Amino acid sequence: MAQILMKLQLLWVRSRNLILLGLITVGCLMLFMAYSLYVSPQITLGLITPLSGDFAVLAGKEMIAGAELAVEQANQAGGLLVGDRHYRVELAIADDGNKPPSTIRAADQLLQKNLIFSWLHPKPLALISSPQSSLALPLAAHLQSLNLPLITAAPDLAVTGQKKNVIGIGLDHYAQGSRLATFARQTLKVQRAAILYNPDNYYSRNVVTKFQNTLEQLGGKVVIMATYGKDSAQDLDSQFQAIALQKPDVLLLPNYLPDLINQGQQLRKLDQKLGLKIPILGGDSWAGLIAANLPLLEGGFFLSPWHPMIPDRRNQQFVQDYTKAYRQPPRTNAALTYDAVQMILGAIASQKSANPEAILRGIHQPFTGVTGIISNPPSGFPIRSSIINQIKNGEAEFYQQISP
């Protein structure tokens, strides 16, 4: 009997110790949770960008660098002040693989990540996506039902139009066509314009449509529209000969790489033969040209949303900070992503709330960042400033800034 009582007593002691240990563990965990929430609450932003594939360097690397710089600066300043509390800003990154299905998976990954420990790793309050319309379009539709803010530099109005939660910070196709035509007519005094483009390309077709309409409204005329397709992109002799016969004042090349590089190479060969020494115009697709290819379009003018030489204090400080941090100057995708982060943080601070609805209210207010003025009225059609660049001595030089 005594042995049974001793065993029961030992069992009770062990059980009591386990219960106490469990209570202590739970208590410590709760204290840690409370401490984390009180001392270092955080706001998480999501960045969906290509970390693999062809655009990992051109877009992904630059976007991450621009976002990380903005986040680091916010935290160095003590975090984001929301009401009377400072929040640490965190950046969650997911790979879209430069493929539309992967973009959806990347968004779901960010939004579903760490659900068990969401108090420590909260889901993103807003997302920033790749500037490619083919990736941003399905993502915008996917996020619309969640009413989660999505900021993108995609230039297609189908991405942003009539979607209250999708914010555009890039140059849309139609704005590019209109501004290029206005620049050609008012600055270059163009009367007769020629166009070479691929009508199967959505971007090129939209730029051309708006360019022609605007130029004609301003008293100019498109004298020839030469076209090419996927199978005829390499040999354009007949198109350039037809253009030369019309003696245009300017040639619009609203085309993507690598077609644009091929066209520049052929133009250089045909300049002396055909006498096509006229200004060349292009949209923001030219911004993808690397330094080695710029001389192919020497003297040409092209649009972009940003240039490192924009004469603005904010921009010059950004260029200096970025160059110091990464030991190389920033490019357009870095500047746009930096502005996207600043836009979200500014919206949260101004609304004194990190609620997605409040963020959207704040974002729909006019914003001035390192890339210029950006306005996103609730209609969903973004309006922003832009830059005219000119290629001189193999470099894309700042020519003029165009207000919205």
Side-chain angles (χ1 to χ4, degrees), residues 151-173:
I151 296 185
T152 177
D156 188 350
L157 286 179
V159 177
T160 57
Q162 306 303 320
K163 297 182 181 70
K164 188 180 69 172
N165 68 306
V166 183
I167 311 301
I169 58 173
L171 281 170
D172 72 77
H173 303 169

Side-chain angles (χ1 to χ4, degrees), residues 85-96:
R85 297 186 71 183
H86 284 86
Y87 287 73
R88 179 173 178 79
V89 182
E90 296 290 339
L91 185 67
I93 303 172
D95 181 16
D96 62 25

